[in-house]
Amino acid sequence: MSGSFRHGPMTITGGRGDKLTNFITRCFPPNITDTVFDFPHNYDVIPPMMFEGCVPSQGPKEIFYVNAAHQYVSWDLTSTAGLLELTFSIDEHDMWVYAIDGRYIQPRRVNALTIPNSNRYSVMIPLNRPAGDYTVRMVSASINQILNTTAIMRYEGFRQLKRPSNPWIQINNEAARPDTVFLDENRVVPFPAIVPSNDIAQTFFLHINQVGTAFRWRLGNTSYGLELEEAQPLLFNQNSIPSDLIIRTKNNTWIDLILQTDTILQPPHPIHKHSNKHFIIGQGNGTFTWNSVAEAVQAVPGNFNLQTPQYRDTFHTLPAVTGLTWTVLRYHVINPGAFIMHCHIQVHQSGGMVLAMLDGVDVWPTVPLPYRIAAGF
């Protein structure tokens, strides 16, 4: 295997060739939001082909060459999608997921793998099928449109398989056969597992919803406007943006972040925290009514995992389709600095679903005068 290939929203490391073939058709009507949100809508400004009318590409398919003598091939799967979650599968082949976001897990055997925006999954694929061509599939796991992208995994040598390969998944992200196994994130266990501390210094309640318009979002109290990119760097001036867009922590402390979706028709939000990984310790339906995670663990212990929680830098919240949901993240402040946490859906991030994370402010160094002068501060 050599080189890397990128087309649209998915990157596969390894392989050689030209393009994948795409087919997109209408799926999700945008005006369904009228039934839930009371702010004004202007559907005329929706970008063309966001919900319907996309044109299939007709280019040649990418071909990934594999050698059965190697017994396995390892691929790194990275989603660079701006909007959609994507599901990846290889006809008639198992995949062993052995790392997520650059960290090992106890391997999980799957046939299909849904990848949120910006996540990274490493898979080992047994090369134990008759030599031939097997379709590599990528479909949309989101509801905006149907997306079908295909490539070929080709065994080198004499071709034994003369028929089309049999799929694990359908174009609508449903299983194509009853024994299809999708990755269940709830069963992922890090290797080795790390037990987070229960000595929590601060708990922050963060609200996820839209603010006044369809394109303004928040991750906390208010929306983080794009105009704030022109503000003085927070590392130089901690007060250069509104205080309700900032979290301040002290070094070597443990922090809980409780993410509450406040409205329905919310997709899974892939929340990414810069600087260091965090533990996903709990998720649930409804409203998080407790004052702390400790209280919630006492009330609903089955919604939490404090012994073998996933350790990620990006993790999606529970979708809120017909009811509200919550997700709890816990992290250790070990890398002081000014960072951000944000949704990795591009239109949500640019729409304000961002929060400034000023970690370890008690040990920040004094910024040298020449740098302050250069920054205009």
Side-chain angles (χ1 to χ4, degrees), residues 257-293:
L257 305 175
I258 299 169
L259 282 62
Q260 175 73 60
T261 57
D262 289 327
T263 53
I264 64 172
L265 286 184
Q266 294 283 347
H269 292 282
I271 302 299
H272 175 64
K273 183 189 179 302
H274 290 210
S275 170
N276 65 316
K277 287 179 168 57
H278 50 259
F279 296 91
I280 297 87
I281 63 171
Q283 289 189 306
N285 296 307
T287 300
F288 192 96
T289 57
W290 304 276
N291 294 317
S292 67
V293 171

Side-chain angles (χ1 to χ4, degrees), residues 9 21-30 49-57 83-87 137-150 169-174:
T21 299
N22 288 277
F23 174 77
I24 307 176
T25 186
R26 179 173 181 173
C27 182
F28 176 72
M49 298 188 299
M50 190 169 203
F51 289 91
E52 60 180 326
C54 292
V55 178
S57 62
L83 183 65
L84 304 177
E85 284 196 330
L86 304 167
T87 297
R137 302 179 190 273
M138 185 183 70
V139 301
S140 172
S142 301
I143 58 177
N144 304 76
Q145 288 202 44
I146 291 176
L147 167 70
N148 182 46
T149 306
T150 59
I169 57 175
Q170 302 181 66
I171 190 174
N172 62 350
N173 196 42
E174 294 295 326

Side-chain angles (χ1 to χ4, degrees), residues 7 11 26 43 48 54 68-69 72 84 91 95 136 147 162 179 186 199-200 223-224 234 239 304 329 350 368 374:
H7 179 76
T11 297
R26 179 173 181 173
Y43 297 108
C54 292
Y72 292 88
L84 304 177
D91 286 3
M95 297 183 290
V136 179
L147 167 70
K162 305 296 184 181
D179 58 343
N186 293 321
D199 183 14
I200 306 305
S223 182
Y224 196 108
L234 287 165
N239 300 309
F304 290 88
L329 312 180
S350 59

Side-chain angles (χ1 to χ4, degrees), residues 119-317:
N119 277 144
R120 292 95 60 209
Y121 291 77
S122 298
V123 298
M124 193 78 72
I125 304 157
L127 303 177
N128 54 7
R129 304 296 297 167
D133 287 358
Y134 295 86
T135 299
V136 179
R137 302 179 190 273
M138 185 183 70
V139 301
S140 172
S142 301
I143 58 177
N144 304 76
Q145 288 202 44
I146 291 176
L147 167 70
N148 182 46
T149 306
T150 59
I152 293 172
M153 187 176 77
R154 175 172 294 170
Y155 282 71
E156 296 178 348
F158 176 73
R159 181 176 178 180
Q160 299 168 285
L161 186 71
K162 305 296 184 181
R163 57 170 173 78
S165 57
N166 296 312
W168 293 108
I169 57 175
Q170 302 181 66
I171 190 174
N172 62 350
N173 196 42
E174 294 295 326
R177 42 191 287 182
D179 58 343
T180 299
V181 177
F182 288 79
L183 177 67
D184 182 352
E185 292 279 5
N186 293 321
R187 302 184 68 181
V188 170
V189 177
F191 180 81
I194 303 174
V195 179
S197 174
N198 287 319
D199 183 14
I200 306 305
Q202 294 172 281
T203 298
F204 296 94
F205 291 81
L206 308 178
H207 298 275
I208 294 176
N209 59 18
Q210 288 154 297
V211 182
T213 64
F215 56 87
R216 292 304 298 265
W217 294 83
R218 69 170 177 167
L219 178 59
N221 295 315
T222 58
S223 182
Y224 196 108
L226 285 175
E227 68 276 3
L228 296 177
E229 293 183 358
E230 302 299 321
Q232 290 178 329
L234 287 165
L235 191 63
F236 296 166
N237 178 7
Q238 293 188 32
N239 300 309
S240 65
I241 69 172
S243 60
D244 54 3
L245 293 171
I246 297 174
I247 282 178
R248 291 182 176 86
T249 66
K250 292 185 177 181
N251 196 45
N252 197 30
T253 62
W254 286 83
I255 309 299
D256 278 345
L257 305 175
I258 299 169
L259 282 62
Q260 175 73 60
T261 57
D262 289 327
T263 53
I264 64 172
L265 286 184
Q266 294 283 347
H269 292 282
I271 302 299
H272 175 64
K273 183 189 179 302
H274 290 210
S275 170
N276 65 316
K277 287 179 168 57
H278 50 259
F279 296 91
I280 297 87
I281 63 171
Q283 289 189 306
N285 296 307
T287 300
F288 192 96
T289 57
W290 304 276
N291 294 317
S292 67
V293 171
E295 286 186 14
V297 170
Q298 291 294 319
V300 286
N303 289 74
F304 290 88
N305 179 359
L306 298 174
Q307 298 302 312
T308 59
Q310 289 206 59
Y311 191 48
R312 306 277 288 270
D313 56 50
T314 305
F315 193 79
H316 55 75
T317 61

Side-chain angles (χ1 to χ4, degrees), residues 11 108 111 115 128 148 205 212 220 262 278 285 317-318 324 333-334 346 359 363:
T11 297
R108 303 291 308 176
N111 308 121
I115 306 178
N128 54 7
N148 182 46
F205 291 81
D262 289 327
H278 50 259
N285 296 307
T317 61
L318 286 179
L324 308 185
V333 182
I334 55 175
Q346 181 56 50
D359 280 335
V363 295

